[in-house]
Amino acid sequence: MVDENQVKAEVGGIDAPRLVSLVERIERLEEEKKELQSDIRDIFAEAKSAGFDVKALRTVLKLRKMNAADRDEQEGWVAVFREALNF
């Protein structure tokens, strides 16, 4: 962590203390993101050990993120493709 008192107020037209603040905030959030990703992996492992199909679970999560119209459109295309491929 850089002491803002040690950073020049402006370097090359850039507000250096503001830049330092932004970078440090991003770094903290990246660390939190890594921790959350680890927690998510643990939950998927728990789901798998409980007998759930993780691939299907990921698909359901992806579909839940979509709005209804996009989800219906994608499911429609999948049905068309399945029919065209005879399966």
Side-chain angles (χ1 to χ4, degrees):
M1 222 160 165
V2 177
D3 182 3
E4 288 190 24
N5 295 328
Q6 296 174 336
V7 178
K8 295 179 185 176
E10 189 172 302
V11 177
I14 294 173
D15 180 355
R18 176 74 174 161
L19 178 60
V20 168
S21 173
L22 293 169
V23 168
E24 289 175 348
R25 286 170 49 204
I26 291 168
E27 289 172 340
R28 279 193 302 274
L29 290 171
E30 288 290 341
E31 187 60 35
E32 288 178 30
K33 183 170 76 170
K34 283 175 32 180
E35 292 171 12
L36 289 172
Q37 288 171 329
S38 175
D39 292 345
I40 291 169
R41 277 192 301 274
D42 292 345
I43 294 170
F44 277 114
E46 179 183 341
K48 184 175 182 177
S49 69
F52 292 102
D53 183 304
V54 173
K55 189 174 180 179
L57 180 56
R58 288 183 189 277
T59 300
V60 168
L61 290 167
K62 180 181 170 186
L63 291 170
R64 285 174 52 102
K65 288 180 187 178
M66 294 181 184
N67 65 47
D70 290 342
R71 188 172 47 247
D72 290 344
E73 181 181 1
Q74 181 167 350
E75 289 173 350
W77 279 113
V78 169
V80 169
F81 289 178
R82 290 183 72 171
E83 185 176 335
L85 297 170
N86 294 319
F87 79 98

